[in-house]
Amino acid sequence: MTFLELINDVLIRLREPTVTSNAQNAYSTLIGRFVNDAKRQVEDAFGWNVLGKTVTITTVSATFSYSMTGAGQKFQVQDVINTTSNIPLQNISFVEMNRYQNLVPTTNGIPQYYSFDGVDANGDTKVLLYPRPNGVYSIPFSVVVPQAILAADATVVLVPDFLVVQNAYARALVERGEDGGLNSSEAYQLYRGMLSDQIALEGTRFPEQQEFVAI
């Protein structure tokens, strides 16, 4: 569904007239805010495959800090590998990385460890590598990145649209109060049941989502 279709779906459930633009009136704008709030909550609930992307870092010799361009700050890491050297990278704590980078002697070599540290001027997370690269390495990060806030009418939501609609509908009921239809707590319980079912369904395709791994 597009942003506008999501808004109209919620309006229909509220027995309100549909609109031709998300900002057509104050109420459609409010419902648009609820839709974005709902989208964010659905995205945060699970590592949806549809949100997966790869951010590839190409190293420069002796440079150990890089920006995760386009990843922002609310991403989940699925896997990190060094495709040049054919090895996986291990996530270590900031404390360990800080000591590796600042207690002499530092080591230059094939990057095997990574840790996140702060953000750049664009709001993207920065990652530190160790050993400090001694050459050019290609390091793809497989991550799950939330979709940008919906703003244009024609933008299509990536996460399951029916979950976004049900969540936004529950939020709208809270704002409006009881009106003889479904109450907000019932609507939210329906959303939670639908979310649980969808997560269980998607999880069947990805074994890593079904187990805890001892580290």
Side-chain angles (χ1 to χ4, degrees):
M1 283 187 179
T2 65
F3 185 33
L4 182 59
E5 288 171 338
L6 291 167
I7 290 172
N8 280 328
D9 198 329
V10 175
L11 288 172
I12 290 170
R13 292 164 190 260
L14 294 167
R15 301 185 298 281
E16 296 286 346
T18 57
V19 294
T20 57
S21 168
N22 71 82
Q24 182 168 313
N25 53 53
Y27 198 57
S28 66
T29 300
L30 176 63
I31 297 301
R33 293 292 180 89
F34 289 153
V35 165
N36 271 304
D37 290 344
K39 178 187 77 71
R40 184 176 63 250
Q41 187 172 11
V42 172
E43 290 172 339
D44 291 347
F46 186 71
W48 303 103
N49 183 60
V50 71
L51 300 178
K53 66 181 295 185
T54 300
V55 176
T56 300
I57 290 174
T58 302
T59 67
V60 176
S61 183
T63 299
F64 62 89
S65 179
Y66 299 88
S67 292
M68 297 280 292
T69 304
Q73 300 171 43
K74 287 190 64 180
F75 59 88
Q76 301 176 41
V77 178
Q78 306 282 61
D79 193 22
V80 185
I81 55 177
N82 178 339
T83 56
T84 304
S85 304
N86 294 316
I87 60 171
L89 267 71
Q90 180 181 344
N91 188 197
I92 61 175
S93 71
F94 169 78
V95 171
E96 289 179 280
M97 181 63 74
N98 190 53
R99 293 175 181 178
Y100 283 149
Q101 298 292 357
N102 292 287
L103 298 180
V104 292
T106 57
T107 301
N108 287 10
I110 299 172
Q112 299 179 57
Y113 305 101
Y114 71 95
S115 179
F116 298 109
D117 180 26
V119 298
D120 64 15
N122 296 316
D124 288 320
T125 298
K126 293 193 297 184
V127 64
L128 307 180
L129 302 177
Y130 194 82
R132 297 183 178 187
N134 62 353
V136 178
Y137 298 94
S138 181
I139 302 178
F141 284 69
S142 298
V143 293
V144 175
V145 181
Q147 184 180 10
I149 291 174
L150 304 177
D153 288 341
T155 301
V156 177
V157 70
L158 297 179
V159 292
D161 49 24
F162 61 92
L163 295 178
V164 176
V165 168
Q166 184 64 32
N167 186 304
Y169 174 52
R171 291 170 183 270
L173 289 175
V174 171
E175 186 276 334
R176 186 161 74 170
E178 311 304 334
D179 65 352
L182 203 65
N183 67 46
S184 58
S185 60
E186 290 173 334
Y188 190 70
Q189 282 301 115
L190 282 173
Y191 157 72
R192 292 184 61 183
M194 293 161 65
L195 176 66
S196 177
D197 290 345
Q198 188 62 26
I199 287 175
L201 179 62
E202 177 142 341
T204 62
R205 303 198 299 275
F206 304 98
E208 65 272 19
Q209 299 286 3
Q210 303 174 42
E211 58 185 15
F212 292 99
V213 179
I215 297 177

